[in-house]
Amino acid sequence: MQRLAMDLRMLSRELSLYLEHQVRVGFFGSGVGLSLILGFSVAYACYYLSSIAKTLHGCWFSFQKPQLVTGGESFSRFLQDHCPVVTETYYPTVWCWESRGQTLLRPFITSKPPVQYRNELIKTADGGQISLDWFDNGNSTCYVDASTRPTILLLPGLTGTSKESYILHMIHLSEELGYRCVVFNNRGVAGENLLTPRTYCCANTEDLETVIHHVYSLYPSAPFLAAGVSMGGMLLLNYLGKTGPKTPLMAAATFSVGWNTFACSESLEKPLNWLLFNYYLTTCLQSSVNKHRHMFAKEVDMDHVMKAKSIREFDKRFTAVMFGYQTIDDYYADASPSRRLKSVGIPVLCLNSVDDVFSPSHAIPIETAKQNPNIALVLTSHGGHIGFLEGIWPRQCTYMDRVFKQFVQAMVEHGHELSNM
């Protein structure tokens, strides 16, 4: 509540300064205009407060306090003790709290902290290559010994790379903690040559397995965690569902994951969502493969792929064919993380907003999560897709950033407590 009060006081102060310097005479100078503006401000504040209180599956969100769903009391207590942000009230930005607004504006509003990467290309079993961008954090004073410096593997979204603002923010926060980061860029999206006729999808975890074992082989004595955003989180969860506890990772976090690919596709095909998101992402996917179209001449009909008007059409014409699925339904069933959630064998925190048009709330696997003591769902009623903007002008930090920082720090410094609970 204090955060909201500060935001409203700041808004009122800025409004007063504007009126003092800009409003001189006439209608506004009479005091009537001032009364109308102040009245509108109060009305909007009341509307804002009433609108951000939502219900989900019968549970009331008290002024945007997240719903914490865990499969065991131990994980819940651990998060409340060491990652208290998941139980704090989250107030979305007062002038931009609607889902689509949060989603669209986040890339333009949030800053892009400068990060100096060291690139590494690693080979895959099929003759391909994967581009890894390392932030070694050689100046870390908390972990001077590189061999034991905590390592965070970051997985960007659908067509994302290490240049995405949310990735840069995670690296900046990890730098503050003294950690090392490495970004897994999917094949063919980060400027490297595609050596084989193969790209990526969130159902096939072979490349991720290669990366995880490579990173672990370099620093076997260092705490090793992973964080995936959007499709990167889907890929990470599918990997964890396949491997269970047999993974070098000690913990993981996901943000704005699409839990059920069928539900995600259906939501994004609604007219407004198609106009704002679906068509643009389809063109991004087409652009990423068109750069390497000579590699796919014998695999797919690229002219047909380039005529796709939605992600589903692209997946049907390209992704499903590329990875050997008989139908698009077969691919979407295999790509949905919800079906593997019960098999995850390490602590995983999953942040989702229930107003995310990329991941409809009815598809969030709440009951499945309750059956796995390693899973914690943190559900906010606002935040959009990779949005989670807060404050009057959310340039530097989002709620998602704060969850990431507190969780990875909690696991590195106190993770041993979970095994003793």
Side-chain angles (χ1 to χ4, degrees):
M1 201 68 185
Q2 291 178 342
R3 180 182 293 272
L4 178 65
M6 290 177 59
D7 286 349
L8 290 177
R9 283 198 298 270
M10 187 181 300
L11 186 62
S12 299
R13 184 165 59 250
E14 291 180 357
L15 179 61
S16 298
L17 288 172
Y18 175 82
L19 290 170
E20 179 181 346
H21 291 91
Q22 302 297 328
V23 178
R24 304 294 185 187
V25 295
F27 177 67
F28 291 101
S30 68
V32 176
L34 176 61
S35 299
L36 286 174
I37 291 176
L38 293 177
F40 173 80
S41 300
V42 171
Y44 182 81
C46 294
Y47 174 65
Y48 170 82
L49 290 172
S50 64
S51 295
I52 65 173
K54 298 283 186 178
T55 58
L56 173 67
H57 295 258
C59 297
W60 183 261
F61 283 75
S62 176
F63 295 117
Q64 190 70 4
K65 191 169 185 178
Q67 182 186 0
L68 177 61
V69 180
T70 60
E73 187 61 30
S74 297
F75 201 5
S76 179
R77 287 201 309 271
F78 176 85
L79 291 174
Q80 292 175 52
D81 291 341
H82 302 298
C83 188
V85 66
V86 302
T87 61
E88 292 177 5
T89 299
Y90 159 56
Y91 292 103
T93 297
V94 294
W95 53 269
C96 177
W97 51 267
E98 196 274 334
S99 169
R100 297 173 185 86
Q102 288 249 339
T103 304
L104 288 169
L105 291 177
R106 192 266 316 155
F108 302 101
I109 293 178
T110 54
S111 62
K112 287 194 173 185
V115 173
Q116 195 71 34
Y117 287 119
R118 172 177 62 85
N119 184 256
E120 179 186 17
L121 294 174
I122 63 173
K123 298 297 182 181
T124 60
D126 70 329
Q129 63 180 1
I130 300 171
S131 174
L132 301 179
D133 282 322
W134 289 86
F135 175 74
D136 296 301
N137 203 4
N139 296 323
S140 173
T141 56
C142 301
Y143 300 92
V144 179
D145 184 355
S147 67
T148 58
R149 187 176 302 147
T151 303
I152 314 295
L153 173 64
L154 302 176
L155 289 75
L158 184 61
T159 58
T161 67
S162 59
K163 298 179 181 179
E164 305 304 320
S165 62
Y166 54 80
I167 294 293
L168 298 176
H169 275 263
M170 288 181 177
I171 292 176
H172 176 67
L173 295 171
S174 298
E175 180 183 15
E176 293 178 354
L177 295 171
Y179 303 166
R180 167 178 47 233
C181 291
V182 54
V183 184
F184 166 35
N185 298 295
N186 287 302
R187 293 198 202 192
V189 300
E192 79 282 7
N193 291 325
L194 204 61
L195 303 182
T196 59
R198 171 172 167 166
T199 54
Y200 60 93
C201 75
C202 57
N204 189 293
T205 61
E206 293 173 359
D207 282 359
L208 178 56
E209 292 169 21
T210 298
V211 169
I212 287 175
H213 288 292
H214 171 73
V215 174
Y216 180 70
S217 71
L218 297 176
Y219 304 104
S221 300
F224 190 15
L225 300 86
V229 180
S230 191
M231 195 214 77
M234 296 171 70
L235 177 64
L236 180 57
L237 285 169
N238 281 327
Y239 159 78
L240 293 173
K242 292 177 181 179
T243 59
K246 297 179 180 180
T247 173
L249 297 173
M250 64 176 293
T254 67
F255 304 94
S256 297
V257 158
W259 290 99
N260 182 297
T261 317
F262 295 101
C264 297
S265 181
E266 182 179 347
S267 176
L268 287 173
E269 286 170 357
K270 293 179 180 179
L272 183 57
N273 295 337
W274 178 88
L275 182 65
L276 294 176
F277 307 112
N278 199 327
Y279 183 70
Y280 170 74
L281 287 173
T282 303
T283 61
C284 290
L285 288 167
Q286 290 169 325
S287 176
S288 69
V289 300
N290 196 46
K291 291 183 295 186
H292 312 283
R293 70 180 295 154
H294 64 281
M295 298 293 298
F296 310 121
K298 297 180 180 180
E299 308 289 330
V300 296
D301 181 349
M302 283 301 296
D303 289 335
H304 194 44
V305 169
M306 296 304 294
K307 293 177 182 177
K309 294 294 187 291
S310 68
I311 297 174
R312 186 196 295 265
E313 288 185 357
F314 177 88
D315 285 337
K316 182 178 181 179
R317 300 173 187 183
F318 185 86
T319 312
V321 176
M322 177 65 56
F323 288 92
Y325 292 97
Q326 293 296 315
T327 67
I328 183 65
D329 287 353
D330 291 337
Y331 166 52
Y332 276 6
D334 198 29
S336 299
S338 58
R339 62 194 293 267
R340 294 191 176 95
L341 193 62
K342 61 184 178 182
S343 301
V344 172
I346 63 170
V348 180
L349 182 147
C350 309
L351 174 65
N352 278 85
S353 171
V354 300
D355 71 350
D356 184 352
V357 299
F358 284 71
S359 183
S361 60
H362 67 82
I364 298 175
I366 291 179
E367 295 306 315
T368 305
K370 291 178 180 178
Q371 299 170 21
N372 187 335
N374 295 303
I375 300 298
L377 301 180
V378 179
L379 308 175
T380 61
S381 59
H382 288 279
H385 188 71
I386 328 176
F388 300 102
L389 303 176
E390 56 184 356
I392 292 294
W393 190 244
R395 286 278 296 166
Q396 302 302 325
C397 191
T398 68
Y399 179 75
M400 181 178 110
D401 296 332
R402 294 196 291 130
V403 171
F404 166 80
K405 183 179 181 180
Q406 284 194 17
F407 179 70
V408 295
Q409 183 177 19
M411 292 306 307
V412 169
E413 297 180 7
H414 306 285
H416 62 277
E417 296 178 14
L418 279 174
S419 58
N420 298 326
M421 288 182 173

